[in-house]
Each structure stands twice: as structure tokens, then as C-alpha cells.
Amino acid sequence: MTNALIHIFIRDAENTGDSRVREKFGVLSGAVGLACNLFLFALKLIIGLLTGSISIAADAFNNLSDGLSCLISIVGFKVSGKEPDAKHPFGYGRTEYIAGLIVSFIIILVGFEFFKTSLDRILHPAAVAFSAVLMGILAVSMLVKLWMGAFNVNIGRRIDSPVLMAAGQDSRNDVVTTAVVVLGMVAGRFTTLPVDGYVGVAVAAFILWSGWGLMMDTLSPLLGESPSPELVEHIEHTVMSYPGVLGVHDLMVHDYGPGHQFASLHIEFPAEADPLEAHDIIDNIERDFLKKDHLQVTIHYDPIVTSDAAVGVLRSRLMEKARQMDPRLSIHDLRIVPGDSHTNVLFDLVFPAGYTGDKDARLAEMCNFVKEQDPGYCCMVKVEQSYASALPEEDQ
């Protein structure tokens, strides 16, 4: 059914790099989700009112919040698909993240309100009706949500949308929520305890947990999270595949929303190479990234001396020393500048973002190592931070 809907409503569906196609996918997902959630809201609300079940009513309003989330998602995709203008030259792609943040606040608000309602049901119990028809309707609800989850994940993967992937997971969470409601109703037949209220609290807690997770997922890229290791590896591997490139450093990736990413980096070429040829290679790399990955890349040219054997040997030793101190450290832009009384050794020492070790100690260790190579060397180090990698969780 997913492929049929895509075939009917989206032309050129395979061209997901096109912002207009991406927008159509997002609107289709939001429209389908809105229709399904409104249907489930009406169905569960009627059942909840007829049976007096607060947990089913809570689940119904959870569906309503999901429907509102779909509506906000549609608006978010429509706005994020707008072309860049003078006021927003990087486009409106982050609107998709903002839409997800609004959705998360709505989910948290709904969860909090029904937590209070369910707690009141525990304090003031009331009987809940039970029937096989009711169970059948809730089973239908679970099947609808399972399909919605698969539908959103399918489209989310096609267009690489974190919001739709989160929506798919939220639909799967709703299946668990409804299953808990059913168990609560069944258990209520065999006990006088206010099981319905306790289940309502569990549902509310689950809604709050889902809303918090979605908020963190959408807030992180807005704050400026590190690019994925896969993207960093892809960029570095691609650049290194071009002729004459000796190294890559100072990689930065700026995320202005899905499909609106910009990157800047430094590329090392032999200083002896023809600068016009090096510039032509850089132009080719930038064009290829834009064409193949829809990624706008700006590249800085760094000449590296390769004809001086002493520079090459020292570079290798310094890189190995940095790795021995910490595998996450690196060096670049090494220069050896002879003088009358001493020789300056200049290079950049790069630490990962969030590094909690003793930077001064590492710096002193590197300078002592330089002195060991030649007493006449004077170490001049510039400390930098890497913006393209993140520390393992245990080091943060």
C-alpha cells in the first residue's frame, strides 16, 4: 500500500535529493498520519465515553496529539521546502526540526495532563465496561498503528528524515500503549483495584517518555550536533580518492536542516605541485559533492613541503607521538623555519570536542618530544578543536 500511495501522489519519487520531491514525501506522510490518527481518536474517544475508561480516553487524546503532530509536520515540510532568500540565504530546512520540537512539547503536555487524570481515577475508582467488541476495536487500532509505523519509517529512510523516523517509532510506541490499556481492562475484570487508573498512569508515563525522547532528538541538531561518523568518513574518503591529495583536516559540517548541509575543510597538496592544477582538483571535488551528495563544500588549499626529508620524518614522528598519547589526537600544518639562533617547529595539535584530559600536559609532552629530536628546535604549537568528531559517551 505504501508504494501505491507513493506512485499515486509523488512524481519522480526516486529523485529524493530534490527538495520539492522531499516536500511531497513529507506532506504525504503527514496527511496519511493525520487521517489515521483522527479516525483512531474518534473511535477511542467514543469507546472511552461509553465504557467510562479513562485509560482509553487517554489513549484517544494521545492519538489526537499525534494527529496534531502530523499537521505540524505538514506545515514544517512546506516551509522547509521554501527556496533560500536574502533574509535566509541558507534556506528554511531547520523548520523541520522546529516542527519536531513543537510536536514534542505537545506530547509532553498531553502526557502530563493525563497523568493527573489517571491519578485522580486511582484516588476515586469507577467501574469500567468490558466487551469482546471493544477488544476487537482496540486490536484494529493496533494494526493501524503498526502500518503507520512501517509507512513513516519507509518514507523516513527514503528521504533521510529524522522527524519521520521519530514519527514511525512513535506509532510503534502507540501499539505498546494500546496493548497496555487492553491488559489493564482485562485485569480489571478480576479485581476491585483501580487497575484502569494505574494503567492510565503507565500510559501517561510512556507518553511523557516518548515526548522527551523526541524533544532531545530534534533539539540536538538545532543546537549544533557533531556530524555522523559515517558522513565524516565518507567526506574524508572521497576527498582522499582524488589525485595529489595528501591529507584532510579542519573539517566542519553545518546543518541547516535535512538536505541543507554545508561543509568546509582544508586539503593538503604537495607545495611543489602546480597551484593551478591543485585549484582545478579542488573545483572538481566541490562540484562532485554538490552533484552526488547535494552537499555544498568549501575547500581551503594547504601546501605541504614534501621535498624536505627532515620535514617528512618529523611529521611522521609527531603524528605517531600524538596517537600514542591519545588515538583521538592529530597534528597538521607542520613547518620548520630555520633561524640564526634556533629553528622554529610550528604545527597545529588537534583535540576532539569535549576533551576532558589535561591539554597543558599533552602540549608539554609534545614540545618535549620535539626537543628530543633536536635540541635546537623551538616548539610553537597552536591548539585546535575538532568539529567533525565526538567523544565516546563514557568520555563526555
Side-chain angles (χ1 to χ4, degrees):
M1 187 174 179
T2 299
N3 291 332
L5 289 171
I6 292 172
H7 178 74
I8 294 172
F9 292 102
I10 302 177
R11 293 182 180 180
D12 196 21
E14 298 303 319
N15 188 20
T16 55
D18 189 320
S19 59
R20 291 170 297 182
V21 174
R22 178 185 177 84
E23 178 186 332
K24 290 178 181 178
F25 268 110
V27 171
L28 173 62
S29 175
V32 170
L34 179 60
C36 291
N37 278 299
L38 287 178
F39 166 74
L40 292 176
F41 164 72
L43 186 66
K44 292 180 182 178
L45 182 61
I46 292 172
I47 295 172
L49 293 175
L50 292 177
T51 62
S53 171
I54 192 64
S55 58
I56 294 180
D59 204 25
F61 279 92
N62 183 33
N63 288 132
L64 181 62
S65 69
D66 289 343
L68 182 58
S69 301
C70 294
L71 183 60
I72 294 173
S73 176
I74 292 173
V75 175
F77 272 103
K78 294 292 289 185
V79 176
S80 65
K82 291 177 60 177
E83 294 295 326
D85 53 33
K87 191 173 183 179
H88 298 93
F90 296 104
Y92 292 80
R94 284 181 175 168
T95 307
E96 189 174 332
Y97 297 144
I98 296 173
L101 193 61
I102 295 172
V103 168
S104 68
F105 280 125
I106 293 173
I107 293 174
I108 290 174
L109 179 61
V110 169
F112 180 71
E113 288 299 321
F114 277 101
F115 176 82
K116 293 194 299 181
T117 305
S118 299
L119 189 61
D120 182 69
R121 173 56 62 90
I122 294 175
L123 298 176
H124 306 92
V128 177
F130 174 89
S131 71
V133 175
L134 176 60
M135 295 296 102
I137 294 175
L138 292 180
V140 170
S141 170
M142 294 170 66
L143 291 175
V144 171
K145 279 294 186 175
L146 279 174
W147 179 81
M148 285 178 57
F151 178 74
N152 283 320
V153 169
N154 188 323
I155 293 183
R157 286 175 177 168
R158 283 176 182 249
I159 64 174
D160 191 25
S161 170
V163 173
L164 293 186
M165 294 296 292
Q169 184 59 49
D170 187 48
S171 293
R172 293 171 178 172
N173 292 345
D174 287 342
V175 175
V176 177
T177 302
T178 304
V180 172
V181 170
V182 172
L183 289 175
M185 293 184 67
V186 173
R189 299 185 64 191
F190 304 100
T191 179
T192 57
L193 293 174
V195 177
D196 184 55
Y198 289 115
V199 172
V201 169
V203 171
F206 195 76
I207 294 172
L208 288 168
W209 177 80
S210 297
W212 177 261
L214 180 57
M215 184 175 68
M216 291 296 101
D217 288 341
T218 53
L219 188 60
S220 184
L222 282 173
L223 292 176
E225 64 183 358
S226 298
S228 68
E230 293 78 14
L231 178 60
V232 173
E233 182 179 1
H234 170 69
I235 293 174
E236 293 180 346
H237 177 77
T238 300
V239 172
M240 292 299 297
S241 67
Y242 285 80
V245 178
L246 299 179
V248 179
H249 60 268
D250 286 349
L251 171 62
M252 296 183 184
V253 179
H254 306 277
D255 187 349
Y256 291 91
H260 297 77
Q261 289 184 315
F262 300 80
S264 61
L265 59 131
H266 290 211
I267 293 183
E268 298 172 351
F269 281 99
E272 301 78 18
D274 185 339
L276 293 179
E277 291 183 2
H279 191 274
D280 184 60
I281 292 174
I282 288 175
D283 285 343
N284 290 335
I285 295 173
E286 291 175 341
R287 280 194 298 267
D288 289 346
F289 269 117
L290 186 59
K291 180 180 179 180
K292 298 177 181 178
D293 300 292
H294 304 282
L295 179 66
Q296 294 197 37
V297 178
T298 301
I299 298 175
H300 175 79
Y301 167 42
D302 272 349
I304 300 296
V305 176
T306 59
S307 58
D308 188 335
V311 175
V313 170
L314 183 58
R315 180 184 298 109
S316 298
R317 290 177 179 176
L318 288 174
M319 292 175 65
E320 180 60 28
K321 177 62 178 178
R323 281 193 293 265
Q324 288 178 358
M325 291 192 301
D326 193 315
R328 299 165 297 178
L329 303 185
S330 63
I331 69 136
H332 60 78
D333 284 347
L334 172 66
R335 289 176 291 153
I336 299 180
V337 183
D340 294 334
S341 60
H342 61 275
T343 298
N344 287 330
V345 176
L346 306 93
F347 60 92
D348 295 346
L349 178 61
V350 185
F351 291 87
Y355 185 78
T356 56
D358 191 336
K359 291 184 179 180
D360 291 337
R362 295 286 184 263
L363 185 60
E365 192 173 347
M366 285 296 289
C367 286
N368 290 335
F369 182 76
V370 169
K371 280 285 188 182
E372 292 174 3
Q373 309 309 304
D374 189 320
Y377 282 164
C378 180
C379 181
M380 303 182 68
V381 183
K382 176 185 176 183
V383 175
E384 287 190 352
Q385 172 185 296
S386 172
Y387 293 92
S389 60
L391 287 174
E393 292 184 1
E394 61 270 15
D395 294 327
Q396 293 185 353

